Amino acid sequence: MTRIAALIAATALFAAPAVAGTYSAKPLSVPASAKIIGKDISWACGANGCQGATETGRPLVICQDLAKRAGRLESFIVDGRALAAADLDKCNAKAGAPTALAHAN
């Protein structure tokens, strides 16, 4: 029994912790809302673009979801690396018109 407990403890020490990826995007126009809740990510947006972090590792899906909510994107960066031009085109193919989100009072 102690060997099993020791094995479990050793495995837990060496298991890689989940690391959140950092994302930033530059919409062509400033989003109407400073906060956008997307698929698996919450975006903080301003004049310099949008930033967010998530443990989900599907950058193209996250990009497309943001483009649907904020409109076409000038750039999309994942962990400091720009999305390839072809993938940015795929992302922007899903872009909608930027929309203002209604807020409940």
Side-chain angles (χ1 to χ4, degrees), residues 2-104:
T2 13
R3 286 185 181 176
I4 293 172
L7 179 61
I8 292 172
T11 303
L13 288 174
F14 292 110
V19 177
T22 57
Y23 294 83
S24 62
K26 179 77 174 163
L28 291 177
S29 59
V30 177
S33 178
K35 186 167 188 166
I36 297 174
I37 305 300
K39 189 180 273 187
D40 298 324
I41 191 167
S42 176
W43 295 97
C45 299
N48 294 324
C50 299
Q51 289 79 37
T54 183
E55 293 176 9
T56 301
R58 298 179 61 194
L60 184 56
V61 172
I62 292 170
C63 181
Q64 290 171 331
D65 185 61
L66 179 61
K68 285 179 189 175
R69 299 167 194 279
R72 293 183 59 81
L73 304 176
E74 180 180 317
S75 65
F76 191 83
I77 299 171
V78 182
D79 293 330
R81 295 164 61 193
L83 200 61
D87 287 335
L88 187 60
D89 288 342
K90 287 179 188 175
C91 173
N92 280 324
K94 299 288 184 174
T99 59
L101 300 177
H103 296 281

